[in-house]
Coordinates of all heavy atoms in Angstrom, one line a residue:
M20 N 0.8 -1.2 0.0 CA 0.0 0.0 0.0 C 0.9 1.3 0.0 O 0.5 2.2 -0.7 CB -0.9 0.0 1.2 CG -1.9 -1.1 1.2 SD -3.2 -0.8 0.0 CE -4.5 -1.6 0.7
A21 N 2.0 1.2 0.7 CA 2.9 2.4 0.8 C 3.5 2.7 -0.5 O 3.6 3.8 -0.9 CB 3.9 2.1 1.9
A22 N 3.8 1.6 -1.3 CA 4.4 1.8 -2.6 C 3.4 2.4 -3.6 O 3.8 3.3 -4.4 CB 4.9 0.5 -3.2
I23 N 2.2 2.0 -3.5 CA 1.1 2.6 -4.3 C 0.9 4.1 -4.0 O 0.8 4.9 -4.9 CB -0.2 1.8 -4.2 CG1 0.0 0.4 -4.7 CG2 -1.3 2.5 -4.9 CD1 -1.1 -0.6 -4.5
E24 N 0.8 4.4 -2.7 CA 0.6 5.8 -2.3 C 1.8 6.6 -2.6 O 1.7 7.8 -2.7 CB 0.3 5.8 -0.8 CG -1.1 5.2 -0.5 CD -1.4 5.0 1.0 OE1 -0.5 5.4 1.8 OE2 -2.5 4.6 1.3
A25 N 3.0 6.1 -2.7 CA 4.2 6.8 -3.0 C 4.1 7.4 -4.4 O 4.7 8.4 -4.7 CB 5.5 6.0 -2.9
F26 N 3.4 6.7 -5.3 CA 3.2 7.2 -6.7 C 2.0 8.2 -6.8 O 1.7 8.6 -7.9 CB 3.0 6.0 -7.6 CG 4.2 5.3 -8.0 CD1 4.5 4.0 -7.4 CD2 5.2 5.8 -8.8 CE1 5.6 3.4 -7.7 CE2 6.3 5.2 -9.1 CZ 6.6 3.9 -8.6
G27 N 1.4 8.4 -5.7 CA 0.2 9.3 -5.7 C -1.1 8.7 -6.0 O -2.0 9.4 -6.4
A28 N -1.1 7.4 -6.0 CA -2.4 6.6 -6.4 C -3.0 6.1 -5.1 O -2.4 6.1 -4.0 CB -2.0 5.5 -7.3
T29 N -4.2 5.6 -5.2 CA -4.9 5.0 -4.1 C -5.2 3.6 -4.4 O -5.5 3.3 -5.6 CB -6.2 5.7 -3.7 OG1 -7.0 5.7 -4.9 CG2 -6.0 7.1 -3.3
A30 N -5.0 2.7 -3.5 CA -5.3 1.3 -3.7 C -6.7 1.0 -3.6 O -7.4 1.5 -2.7 CB -4.5 0.5 -2.7
H31 N -7.2 0.2 -4.5 CA -8.6 -0.3 -4.4 C -8.7 -1.8 -4.4 O -9.3 -2.4 -5.3 CB -9.4 0.3 -5.6 CG -9.6 1.7 -5.5 ND1 -10.6 2.3 -4.7 CD2 -9.0 2.8 -6.1 CE1 -10.5 3.6 -4.8 NE2 -9.6 3.9 -5.6
I32 N -8.0 -2.3 -3.4 CA -8.0 -3.8 -3.2 C -8.7 -4.1 -1.9 O -8.3 -3.6 -0.8 CB -6.5 -4.3 -3.1 CG1 -5.8 -3.8 -4.4 CG2 -6.5 -5.8 -2.9 CD1 -4.3 -4.0 -4.3
P33 N -9.8 -4.8 -1.9 CA -10.5 -5.1 -0.7 C -9.7 -5.9 0.3 O -8.9 -6.8 -0.1 CB -11.7 -5.9 -1.1 CG -11.4 -6.4 -2.5 CD -10.4 -5.5 -3.1
A34 N -9.9 -5.7 1.6 CA -9.2 -6.4 2.6 C -9.8 -7.8 2.7 O -10.9 -8.1 2.3 CB -9.3 -5.7 4.0
R35 N -9.1 -8.7 3.4 CA -9.6 -10.0 3.6 C -10.8 -10.0 4.5 O -11.0 -9.1 5.3 CB -8.6 -10.9 4.2 CG -7.4 -11.2 3.3 CD -6.4 -12.1 3.9 NE -5.3 -12.2 3.0 CZ -4.5 -13.3 2.9 NH1 -4.8 -14.3 3.7 NH2 -3.6 -13.3 2.1
A36 N -11.7 -11.0 4.5 CA -12.9 -11.0 5.3 C -12.5 -11.1 6.8 O -13.3 -10.6 7.6 CB -13.8 -12.2 4.9
T37 N -11.4 -11.6 7.1 CA -11.0 -11.8 8.5 C -10.1 -10.6 9.0 O -9.7 -10.7 10.2 CB -10.1 -13.1 8.6 OG1 -9.0 -13.0 7.8 CG2 -11.0 -14.3 8.3
S38 N -10.0 -9.6 8.3 CA -9.2 -8.4 8.7 C -9.9 -7.7 9.9 O -11.1 -7.5 9.9 CB -9.0 -7.5 7.5 OG -8.3 -6.3 7.9
R39 N -9.1 -7.3 10.8 CA -9.7 -6.6 12.0 C -10.1 -5.2 11.6 O -11.1 -4.7 12.1 CB -8.6 -6.5 13.1 CG -8.4 -7.8 13.8 CD -7.4 -7.6 14.9 NE -7.9 -8.2 16.1 CZ -7.2 -8.2 17.2 NH1 -6.1 -7.7 17.3 NH2 -7.7 -8.9 18.3
W40 N -9.3 -4.5 10.8 CA -9.6 -3.1 10.4 C -9.6 -3.0 8.9 O -8.7 -2.5 8.3 CB -8.6 -2.2 11.0 CG -8.5 -2.2 12.5 CD1 -9.4 -1.7 13.3 CD2 -7.5 -2.9 13.2 NE1 -9.0 -2.0 14.6 CE2 -7.9 -2.7 14.6 CE3 -6.4 -3.7 12.9 CZ2 -7.1 -3.3 15.6 CZ3 -5.7 -4.2 14.0 CH2 -6.0 -4.0 15.3
P41 N -10.7 -3.4 8.3 CA -10.8 -3.3 6.8 C -10.8 -1.9 6.3 O -11.5 -1.0 6.9 CB -12.0 -4.1 6.4 CG -12.9 -4.0 7.7 CD -11.9 -3.9 8.8
E42 N -10.1 -1.6 5.3 CA -10.1 -0.3 4.7 C -11.3 -0.1 3.7 O -11.7 -1.1 3.1 CB -8.8 -0.1 3.8 CG -7.5 0.0 4.7 CD -7.4 1.3 5.4 OE1 -7.9 2.3 4.9 OE2 -6.8 1.3 6.5
P43 N -11.9 1.0 3.7 CA -13.0 1.2 2.8 C -12.6 1.2 1.3 O -11.5 1.6 1.0 CB -13.6 2.6 3.1 CG -12.5 3.3 3.8 CD -11.6 2.2 4.4
V44 N -13.3 0.5 0.4 CA -13.0 0.4 -1.0 C -14.2 0.8 -1.8 O -15.3 0.5 -1.5 CB -12.7 -1.1 -1.3 CG1 -12.4 -1.3 -2.7 CG2 -11.5 -1.6 -0.5
D45 N -13.8 1.6 -2.9 CA -14.8 2.0 -3.8 C -15.1 0.8 -4.8 O -14.3 0.5 -5.6 CB -14.4 3.2 -4.6 CG -15.4 3.8 -5.5 OD1 -16.5 3.2 -5.7 OD2 -15.2 4.9 -6.1
R46 N -16.2 0.2 -4.7 CA -16.6 -1.0 -5.4 C -16.6 -0.7 -6.9 O -16.2 -1.6 -7.7 CB -17.9 -1.6 -5.0 CG -17.9 -2.1 -3.6 CD -17.1 -3.4 -3.6 NE -17.0 -3.9 -2.2 CZ -16.2 -4.9 -1.9 NH1 -15.5 -5.5 -2.8 NH2 -16.2 -5.3 -0.6
T47 N -17.0 0.5 -7.4 CA -17.1 0.7 -8.8 C -15.7 0.8 -9.4 O -15.4 0.2 -10.4 CB -17.7 2.1 -9.0 OG1 -19.0 2.1 -8.4 CG2 -17.9 2.4 -10.5
I48 N -14.7 1.4 -8.7 CA -13.4 1.5 -9.2 C -12.7 0.1 -9.2 O -12.0 -0.3 -10.1 CB -12.5 2.5 -8.4 CG1 -13.1 3.9 -8.7 CG2 -11.1 2.4 -8.8 CD1 -12.4 4.9 -7.8
Y49 N -13.0 -0.7 -8.1 CA -12.4 -2.0 -8.0 C -13.0 -2.9 -9.1 O -12.2 -3.7 -9.7 CB -12.8 -2.6 -6.6 CG -12.3 -4.1 -6.5 CD1 -11.0 -4.4 -6.4 CD2 -13.2 -5.1 -6.6 CE1 -10.5 -5.7 -6.3 CE2 -12.8 -6.4 -6.5 CZ -11.4 -6.7 -6.4 OH -11.0 -8.0 -6.3
R50 N -14.3 -2.8 -9.5 CA -14.9 -3.6 -10.5 C -14.2 -3.3 -11.9 O -13.9 -4.2 -12.6 CB -16.4 -3.3 -10.6 CG -17.1 -4.3 -11.5 CD -18.6 -4.0 -11.4 NE -19.2 -4.2 -10.1 CZ -19.8 -3.3 -9.4 NH1 -20.0 -2.1 -9.9 NH2 -20.2 -3.5 -8.2
E51 N -14.0 -2.0 -12.2 CA -13.3 -1.7 -13.4 C -11.9 -2.2 -13.5 O -11.4 -2.7 -14.5 CB -13.4 -0.1 -13.6 CG -14.7 0.4 -13.9 CD -15.4 -0.2 -15.1 OE1 -14.7 -0.2 -16.2 OE2 -16.5 -0.5 -15.1
R52 N -11.2 -2.0 -12.4 CA -9.8 -2.5 -12.3 C -9.7 -4.0 -12.5 O -8.9 -4.5 -13.3 CB -9.1 -2.2 -11.0 CG -7.7 -2.6 -10.9 CD -7.2 -2.5 -9.5 NE -7.7 -3.5 -8.6 CZ -7.2 -4.8 -8.5 NH1 -6.2 -5.1 -9.2 NH2 -7.8 -5.6 -7.7
N53 N -10.7 -4.7 -12.0 CA -10.8 -6.2 -12.1 C -11.1 -6.6 -13.5 O -10.5 -7.5 -14.0 CB -11.8 -6.7 -11.1 CG -11.8 -8.2 -11.1 OD1 -12.4 -8.9 -12.0 ND2 -11.1 -8.8 -10.1
R54 N -11.9 -5.9 -14.2 CA -12.2 -6.2 -15.6 C -11.0 -6.0 -16.5 O -10.7 -6.8 -17.4 CB -13.4 -5.3 -16.1 CG -14.7 -5.6 -15.6 CD -15.8 -4.7 -16.0 NE -15.9 -4.8 -17.5 CZ -16.5 -3.9 -18.3 NH1 -17.0 -2.8 -17.7 NH2 -16.6 -4.1 -19.5
I55 N -10.3 -4.9 -16.3 CA -9.1 -4.7 -17.1 C -8.0 -5.8 -16.8 O -7.4 -6.3 -17.7 CB -8.5 -3.3 -16.8 CG1 -9.5 -2.2 -17.3 CG2 -7.1 -3.1 -17.4 CD1 -9.2 -0.9 -16.8
E56 N -7.9 -6.1 -15.5 CA -6.9 -7.2 -15.1 C -7.2 -8.5 -15.8 O -6.4 -9.2 -16.3 CB -6.9 -7.3 -13.6 CG -5.8 -8.2 -13.1 CD -5.8 -8.1 -11.6 OE1 -5.9 -7.1 -11.0 OE2 -5.6 -9.2 -11.0
R57 N -8.5 -8.9 -15.8 CA -9.0 -10.1 -16.4 C -8.7 -10.1 -17.9 O -8.4 -11.1 -18.5 CB -10.4 -10.4 -16.1 CG -10.6 -11.0 -14.7 CD -12.0 -11.4 -14.4 NE -12.8 -10.2 -14.1 CZ -14.0 -10.0 -14.7 NH1 -14.6 -10.8 -15.5 NH2 -14.7 -8.8 -14.4
F58 N -9.0 -9.0 -18.5 CA -8.7 -8.9 -20.0 C -7.2 -9.1 -20.3 O -6.9 -9.9 -21.2 CB -9.1 -7.5 -20.5 CG -8.7 -7.2 -21.9 CD1 -9.3 -7.8 -23.0 CD2 -7.6 -6.4 -22.1 CE1 -8.8 -7.6 -24.3 CE2 -7.1 -6.1 -23.4 CZ -7.8 -6.7 -24.5
F59 N -6.3 -8.5 -19.6 CA -4.9 -8.7 -19.9 C -4.5 -10.1 -19.5 O -3.6 -10.6 -20.2 CB -4.1 -7.6 -19.2 CG -4.0 -6.3 -19.9 CD1 -4.7 -5.3 -19.5 CD2 -3.2 -6.2 -21.0 CE1 -4.7 -4.1 -20.2 CE2 -3.2 -5.1 -21.8 CZ -3.9 -4.0 -21.3
N60 N -5.1 -10.7 -18.6 CA -4.7 -12.1 -18.3 C -5.2 -13.0 -19.4 O -4.5 -14.1 -19.7 CB -5.4 -12.6 -17.0 CG -4.7 -12.0 -15.8 OD1 -3.5 -11.7 -15.8 ND2 -5.4 -11.9 -14.7
K61 N -6.2 -12.7 -20.1 CA -6.6 -13.5 -21.3 C -5.8 -13.2 -22.5 O -5.5 -14.0 -23.4 CB -8.1 -13.2 -21.6 CG -9.0 -13.8 -20.6 CD -10.5 -13.5 -21.0 CE -11.4 -14.0 -20.0 NZ -12.8 -13.6 -20.3
V62 N -5.3 -11.9 -22.7 CA -4.6 -11.5 -23.8 C -3.1 -12.0 -23.8 O -2.5 -12.3 -24.9 CB -4.6 -10.0 -24.0 CG1 -3.7 -9.5 -25.0 CG2 -6.0 -9.5 -24.3
K63 N -2.5 -12.0 -22.7 CA -1.1 -12.3 -22.5 C -0.7 -13.6 -23.3 O 0.3 -13.6 -24.1 CB -0.7 -12.5 -21.1 CG -0.4 -11.1 -20.4 CD 0.0 -11.4 -19.0 CE 0.1 -10.1 -18.2 NZ 0.5 -10.3 -16.9
P64 N -1.3 -14.8 -23.1 CA -0.8 -15.9 -23.8 C -1.1 -15.9 -25.3 O -0.4 -16.6 -26.1 CB -1.6 -17.1 -23.1 CG -2.6 -16.5 -22.3 CD -2.4 -15.0 -22.1
L65 N -2.0 -15.1 -25.7 CA -2.4 -15.1 -27.2 C -1.3 -14.4 -28.0 O -1.0 -14.9 -29.1 CB -3.7 -14.4 -27.4 CG -4.9 -15.0 -26.8 CD1 -6.1 -14.1 -27.1 CD2 -5.2 -16.4 -27.5
C66 N -0.7 -13.4 -27.6 CA 0.1 -12.5 -28.5 C 1.5 -12.5 -28.1 O 2.3 -11.8 -28.8 CB -0.5 -11.1 -28.5 SG -2.2 -11.0 -29.0
G67 N 1.9 -13.1 -27.0 CA 3.3 -12.9 -26.6 C 3.6 -11.6 -26.0 O 4.8 -11.1 -25.9
I68 N 2.6 -10.9 -25.6 CA 2.8 -9.6 -25.0 C 3.5 -9.7 -23.7 O 4.4 -8.8 -23.3 CB 1.4 -8.9 -24.7 CG1 0.8 -8.6 -26.1 CG2 1.6 -7.6 -23.9 CD1 -0.6 -8.1 -26.0
A69 N 3.3 -10.8 -22.9 CA 4.0 -10.9 -21.7 C 5.5 -11.1 -21.9 O 6.3 -10.6 -21.0 CB 3.5 -12.2 -20.9
A70 N 5.9 -11.7 -23.0 CA 7.4 -11.9 -23.3 C 8.0 -10.6 -23.9 O 9.2 -10.5 -24.0 CB 7.5 -13.0 -24.2
R71 N 7.2 -9.6 -24.3 CA 7.7 -8.4 -24.9 C 8.5 -8.7 -26.1 O 9.6 -8.2 -26.3 CB 8.4 -7.5 -23.9 CG 7.5 -7.0 -22.8 CD 8.2 -6.0 -22.0 NE 7.3 -5.5 -21.0 CZ 7.5 -5.6 -19.7 NH1 8.5 -6.2 -19.2 NH2 6.6 -5.1 -18.8
C72 N 8.1 -9.6 -27.0 CA 8.9 -10.0 -28.1 C 8.7 -9.1 -29.3 O 9.4 -9.2 -30.3 CB 8.5 -11.4 -28.5 SG 6.8 -11.7 -28.9
F73 N 7.8 -8.1 -29.2 CA 7.6 -7.1 -30.3 C 8.7 -6.0 -30.1 O 8.9 -5.5 -29.0 CB 6.2 -6.5 -30.2 CG 5.2 -7.6 -30.4 CD1 4.3 -7.8 -29.4 CD2 5.0 -8.2 -31.6 CE1 3.3 -8.8 -29.6 CE2 4.0 -9.2 -31.8 CZ 3.2 -9.5 -30.8
K74 N 9.2 -5.6 -31.2 CA 10.2 -4.5 -31.2 C 9.6 -3.1 -31.5 O 10.1 -2.1 -31.1 CB 11.4 -4.8 -32.1 CG 12.1 -6.0 -31.7 CD 13.4 -6.3 -32.5 CE 14.0 -7.5 -32.0 NZ 15.4 -7.7 -32.3
A75 N 8.6 -3.1 -32.3 CA 8.0 -1.9 -32.7 C 6.6 -1.7 -32.0 O 5.9 -2.6 -31.7 CB 7.7 -1.8 -34.2
A76 N 6.4 -0.4 -31.6 CA 5.1 -0.1 -30.9 C 3.9 -0.4 -31.7 O 2.9 -0.8 -31.2 CB 5.1 1.3 -30.4
A77 N 4.0 -0.3 -33.0 CA 2.9 -0.5 -33.9 C 2.5 -2.0 -33.9 O 1.4 -2.4 -34.0 CB 3.3 -0.1 -35.3
N78 N 3.5 -2.9 -33.7 CA 3.2 -4.3 -33.7 C 2.5 -4.7 -32.4 O 1.6 -5.6 -32.4 CB 4.5 -5.1 -33.8 CG 5.2 -5.0 -35.1 OD1 4.5 -4.6 -36.1 ND2 6.4 -5.3 -35.2
V79 N 2.9 -4.0 -31.3 CA 2.2 -4.3 -30.0 C 0.7 -3.8 -30.1 O -0.2 -4.5 -29.7 CB 2.9 -3.6 -28.8 CG1 2.1 -3.7 -27.5 CG2 4.3 -4.1 -28.6
L80 N 0.5 -2.7 -30.7 CA -0.8 -2.1 -30.9 C -1.7 -3.0 -31.8 O -2.8 -3.3 -31.5 CB -0.8 -0.7 -31.4 CG -2.1 0.0 -31.5 CD1 -2.7 0.1 -30.2 CD2 -1.9 1.4 -32.2
A81 N -1.0 -3.5 -32.8 CA -1.8 -4.5 -33.7 C -2.1 -5.7 -33.0 O -3.3 -6.3 -33.2 CB -0.9 -4.8 -34.9
A82 N -1.3 -6.2 -32.1 CA -1.6 -7.5 -31.4 C -2.7 -7.2 -30.4 O -3.5 -8.1 -30.2 CB -0.3 -7.9 -30.6
L83 N -2.7 -6.0 -29.8 CA -3.8 -5.7 -28.8 C -5.1 -5.5 -29.5 O -6.2 -5.7 -28.9 CB -3.4 -4.4 -28.0 CG -2.3 -4.6 -27.0 CD1 -2.0 -3.3 -26.3 CD2 -2.8 -5.6 -25.9
H84 N -5.1 -5.2 -30.8 CA -6.3 -5.1 -31.6 C -6.8 -6.5 -32.0 O -8.0 -6.8 -32.2 CB -6.2 -4.2 -32.8 CG -6.2 -2.7 -32.5 ND1 -5.1 -2.0 -32.4 CD2 -7.3 -1.9 -32.2 CE1 -5.4 -0.7 -32.1 NE2 -6.7 -0.7 -31.9
F85 N -5.8 -7.3 -32.4 CA -6.1 -8.6 -32.9 C -6.6 -9.6 -31.8 O -7.5 -10.4 -32.0 CB -4.9 -9.2 -33.6 CG -5.1 -10.5 -34.2 CD1 -6.0 -10.7 -35.3 CD2 -4.4 -11.6 -33.8 CE1 -6.2 -11.9 -35.9 CE2 -4.6 -12.9 -34.4 CZ -5.5 -13.0 -35.4
A86 N -6.0 -9.5 -30.6 CA -6.3 -10.4 -29.5 C -7.8 -10.4 -29.1 O -8.4 -11.5 -29.0 CB -5.5 -10.1 -28.3
P87 N -8.5 -9.3 -28.9 CA -9.9 -9.4 -28.6 C -10.8 -10.0 -29.6 O -11.7 -10.7 -29.3 CB -10.3 -7.9 -28.4 CG -9.0 -7.2 -28.1 CD -8.0 -7.9 -28.8
A88 N -10.4 -9.8 -30.9 CA -11.1 -10.5 -32.0 C -11.0 -12.0 -31.8 O -12.0 -12.7 -32.0 CB -10.6 -10.1 -33.3
R89 N -9.8 -12.5 -31.5 CA -9.6 -14.0 -31.3 C -10.4 -14.4 -30.1 O -11.0 -15.5 -30.2 CB -8.2 -14.3 -31.1 CG -7.4 -14.1 -32.4 CD -6.0 -14.6 -32.2 NE -5.9 -16.0 -31.8 CZ -4.8 -16.6 -31.5 NH1 -3.7 -16.0 -31.5 NH2 -4.8 -17.9 -31.2
L90 N -10.5 -13.6 -29.0 CA -11.2 -14.0 -27.9 C -12.7 -14.0 -28.2 O -13.5 -14.9 -27.7 CB -11.0 -13.0 -26.7 CG -9.6 -13.1 -26.1 CD1 -9.4 -12.0 -25.1 CD2 -9.4 -14.5 -25.4
W91 N -13.2 -13.1 -29.0 CA -14.6 -13.0 -29.3 C -15.0 -14.2 -30.2 O -16.0 -14.8 -30.0 CB -14.9 -11.7 -30.1 CG -16.3 -11.6 -30.4 CD1 -17.3 -11.1 -29.6 CD2 -16.9 -12.0 -31.7 NE1 -18.5 -11.2 -30.3 CE2 -18.3 -11.7 -31.6 CE3 -16.4 -12.5 -32.9 CZ2 -19.2 -11.9 -32.6 CZ3 -17.3 -12.7 -33.9 CH2 -18.7 -12.4 -33.8
I92 N -14.1 -14.6 -31.1 CA -14.4 -15.7 -32.0 C -14.4 -17.0 -31.1 O -15.3 -17.9 -31.3 CB -13.4 -15.8 -33.1 CG1 -13.6 -14.7 -34.1 CG2 -13.4 -17.2 -33.8 CD1 -12.5 -14.6 -35.1
K93 N -13.5 -17.1 -30.2 CA -13.5 -18.3 -29.4 C -14.7 -18.4 -28.5 O -15.3 -19.5 -28.3 CB -12.2 -18.3 -28.5 CG -12.0 -19.5 -27.6 CD -10.7 -19.4 -26.8 CE -10.6 -20.6 -26.0 NZ -9.3 -20.5 -25.2
A94 N -15.2 -17.3 -28.0 CA -16.4 -17.3 -27.1 C -17.6 -17.6 -27.9 O -18.6 -18.1 -27.4 CB -16.5 -15.9 -26.4
N95 N -17.7 -17.2 -29.2 CA -18.9 -17.4 -30.0 C -18.6 -18.4 -31.1 O -19.2 -18.3 -32.2 CB -19.2 -16.0 -30.7 CG -19.6 -15.0 -29.6 OD1 -20.5 -15.2 -28.8 ND2 -18.9 -13.9 -29.7
K96 N -17.9 -19.4 -30.8 CA -17.5 -20.4 -31.8 C -18.7 -21.1 -32.4 O -18.8 -21.3 -33.6 CB -16.6 -21.5 -31.1 CG -16.0 -22.5 -32.1 CD -14.9 -23.3 -31.4 CE -15.5 -24.5 -30.7 NZ -14.4 -25.3 -30.2
F97 N -19.6 -21.5 -31.6 CA -20.8 -22.2 -32.1 C -21.7 -21.3 -32.9 O -22.3 -21.7 -33.9 CB -21.6 -22.9 -30.9 CG -20.8 -23.9 -30.2 CD1 -20.3 -23.7 -28.9 CD2 -20.4 -25.1 -30.8 CE1 -19.6 -24.6 -28.2 CE2 -19.6 -26.0 -30.1 CZ -19.2 -25.8 -28.8
T98 N -21.8 -20.1 -32.5 CA -22.6 -19.1 -33.3 C -22.0 -18.9 -34.7 O -22.7 -18.8 -35.7 CB -22.7 -17.8 -32.5 OG1 -23.2 -18.0 -31.2 CG2 -23.6 -16.8 -33.2
T99 N -20.6 -18.7 -34.7 CA -20.0 -18.4 -36.0 C -20.0 -19.6 -36.9 O -20.1 -19.5 -38.1 CB -18.5 -17.9 -35.8 OG1 -17.8 -18.9 -35.0 CG2 -18.5 -16.6 -35.1
Q100 N -20.0 -20.9 -36.3 CA -20.0 -22.0 -37.1 C -21.4 -22.2 -37.8 O -21.5 -22.5 -39.0 CB -19.7 -23.3 -36.3 CG -18.3 -23.5 -36.0 CD -18.0 -24.7 -35.1 OE1 -19.0 -25.3 -34.6 NE2 -16.8 -25.0 -34.9
A101 N -22.5 -21.9 -37.1 CA -23.8 -21.9 -37.6 C -24.0 -20.9 -38.7 O -24.6 -21.1 -39.7 CB -24.8 -21.7 -36.5
F102 N -23.4 -19.7 -38.5 CA -23.5 -18.6 -39.4 C -22.7 -18.9 -40.7 O -23.2 -18.6 -41.8 CB -22.9 -17.3 -38.8 CG -23.0 -16.1 -39.7 CD1 -24.2 -15.5 -40.1 CD2 -21.8 -15.6 -40.3 CE1 -24.2 -14.5 -40.9 CE2 -21.9 -14.5 -41.1 CZ -23.1 -14.0 -41.5
M103 N -21.6 -19.6 -40.6 CA -20.8 -19.9 -41.8 C -21.3 -21.1 -42.5 O -20.8 -21.4 -43.6 CB -19.3 -20.2 -41.3 CG -18.6 -19.0 -40.7 SD -18.4 -17.8 -42.0 CE -17.1 -16.9 -41.2
G104 N -22.2 -21.8 -41.9 CA -22.8 -23.0 -42.6 C -22.0 -24.3 -42.4 O -22.1 -25.2 -43.1
A105 N -21.2 -24.3 -41.3 CA -20.4 -25.5 -41.0 C -21.2 -26.5 -40.3 O -22.2 -26.4 -39.8 CB -19.2 -25.1 -40.1

């Protein structure tokens, strides 16, 4: 928490249920942070972003545009197969 506050940010991580003195957390901000974190956890294995194997910024941006399309196709696999006539 001290490291986060040293950068001028506030932590929005809820305390454990067994904590004696839980810190108040803005649930809306925590929910948005969680959505972004889950997105990057899905994108990392797809594009090699975690390994930072891209040398040009344009390639990283292209991979970040391409990865959600792959995730969407994977999530809607049965819908797209019916649409394609497979």
Side-chain angles (χ1 to χ4, degrees):
M20 294 288 207
I23 294 171
E24 290 172 0
F26 284 106
T29 56
H31 289 285
I32 303 167
R35 294 182 184 211
T37 58
S38 177
R39 286 181 134 177
W40 300 283
E42 293 286 328
V44 175
D45 185 354
R46 292 288 178 189
T47 306
I48 294 173
Y49 176 73
R50 189 176 300 121
E51 290 300 316
R52 183 191 71 84
N53 188 277
R54 288 178 64 199
I55 293 167
E56 188 174 319
R57 283 185 283 135
F58 168 74
F59 278 104
N60 284 336
K61 289 180 182 178
V62 169
K63 280 181 184 180
L65 293 176
C66 303
I68 293 172
R71 295 188 177 119
C72 60
F73 299 114
K74 294 187 182 198
N78 293 342
V79 174
L80 186 60
L83 287 174
H84 283 101
F85 183 63
R89 290 184 61 187
L90 291 172
W91 182 83
I92 289 170
K93 184 177 179 182
N95 297 305
K96 185 168 89 173
F97 297 111
T98 306
T99 54
Q100 285 177 352
F102 179 72
M103 297 290 201

